[in-house]
């Protein structure tokens, strides 16, 4: 079949030449892959859309996206589309080179407004893939809302989950008010995104991460109850220690 396509699309090099010596002619790669109904041809399939599209950080007037590369080898790049959650109109923001897997949107965003983003892959023949899964971003006013809880976002599936919001509030109102807390947050925001990208697409890891975060989330959401439970646990441990010491 491939030989038939190449032969049918070949260009004659020497008119009237002996085909046993010259063959069907010169190879015309472009003609071989065009869809001419009058000639045997093949068609290029659409590229695979990028996966792992996620909002990795927000701040006032800014949403930052990241994604995993499409596996196609003939890509030209990507296109970023944005739609306000309250609208049906989709806007093409800008084409992105193939070697870029992140984008910062600062194009007229309104704080506290939800925006849904999709990304397509485009190959060298300008064939565009289907859109990726949507990722929602909400640029937030207020200096304390810079960045996201990456691992919690991966575990709960969205940065706007109530438990992620509780952790973000704890970070803004408690951790960022102390020197050691700011150092911890800076280290976390530097090293946690790669781990979050591993967790996000794997359901067992997401469930395990939620279970691991549960005590922290409860202590953040209900600090008095958590303090009471911790106090009782410490008291029980102390009583047990004293009893063992008394019977030794």
């Amino acid at each position: 079949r491939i030989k038939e396509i190449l032969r049918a699309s070949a260009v004659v090099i020497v008119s009237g030449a002996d085909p046993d010596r010259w063959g069907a002619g010169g190879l015309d790669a472009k003609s071989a892959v065009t869809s001419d109904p009058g000639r045997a041809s093949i068609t290029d399939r659409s590229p695979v859309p990028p996966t792992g599209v996620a909002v990795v950080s927000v701040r006032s007037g800014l949403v930052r996206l990241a994604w995993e590369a499409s596996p196609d080898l003939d890509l030209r790049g990507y296109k970023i589309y944005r739609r306000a959650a309250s609208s049906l109109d989709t806007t093409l923001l800008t084409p992105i080179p193939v070697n870029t897997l992140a984008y910062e949107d600062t194009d007229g965003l309104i704080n506290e407004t939800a925006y849904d983003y999709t990304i397509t892959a485009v190959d060298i023949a300008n064939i565009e893939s289907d859109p990726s899964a949507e990722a929602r971003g909400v640029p937030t006013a207020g200096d304390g809302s810079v960045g996201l809880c990456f691992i919690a976002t991966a575990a709960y599936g969205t940065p706007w989950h109530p438990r992620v919001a509780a952790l973000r509030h704890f970070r803004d109102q408690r951790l960022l008010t102390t020197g050691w807390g700011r150092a911890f947050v800076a280290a976390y925001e530097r090293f946690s995104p790669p781990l979050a990208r591993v967790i996000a697409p794997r359901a067992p890891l997401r469930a395990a991460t939620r279970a691991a975060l549960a005590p922290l989330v409860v202590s953040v959401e209900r600090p008095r109850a958590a303090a009471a439970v911790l106090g009782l646990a410490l008291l029980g441990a102390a009583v047990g220690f004293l009893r063992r010491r008394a019977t030794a």
Side-chain angles (χ1 to χ4, degrees), residues 29 41 70 72 101 132 138 173 185 234 242 246:
S41 62
S70 170
D72 292 84
L101 299 176
S132 68
V138 182
Q173 301 301 318
V185 171
L234 292 175
L242 292 174

Side-chain angles (χ1 to χ4, degrees), residues 34-127:
T34 56
S35 299
D36 184 347
R39 172 170 63 199
S41 62
I42 59 175
T43 57
D44 192 11
R45 65 176 177 82
S46 299
V48 176
T51 58
V53 179
V55 173
V56 296
S57 64
V58 296
R59 66 170 184 262
S60 180
L62 180 145
V63 172
R64 189 173 191 272
L65 302 166
W67 59 93
E68 298 176 7
S70 170
D72 292 84
L73 301 179
D74 62 341
L75 289 187
R76 182 186 301 276
Y78 302 95
K79 289 184 177 180
I80 314 294
Y81 293 90
R82 183 186 73 199
R83 179 180 63 83
S86 59
S87 171
L88 297 177
D89 297 329
T90 300
T91 301
L92 172 62
L93 295 178
T94 183
I96 301 295
V98 67
N99 58 347
T100 301
L101 299 176
Y103 176 73
E104 287 189 353
D105 180 21
T106 58
D107 186 10
L109 296 177
I110 301 173
N111 287 340
E112 311 304 334
T113 299
Y115 296 94
D116 292 325
Y117 293 86
T118 56
I119 303 176
T120 61
V122 183
D123 67 15
I124 56 175
N126 287 323
I127 298 176

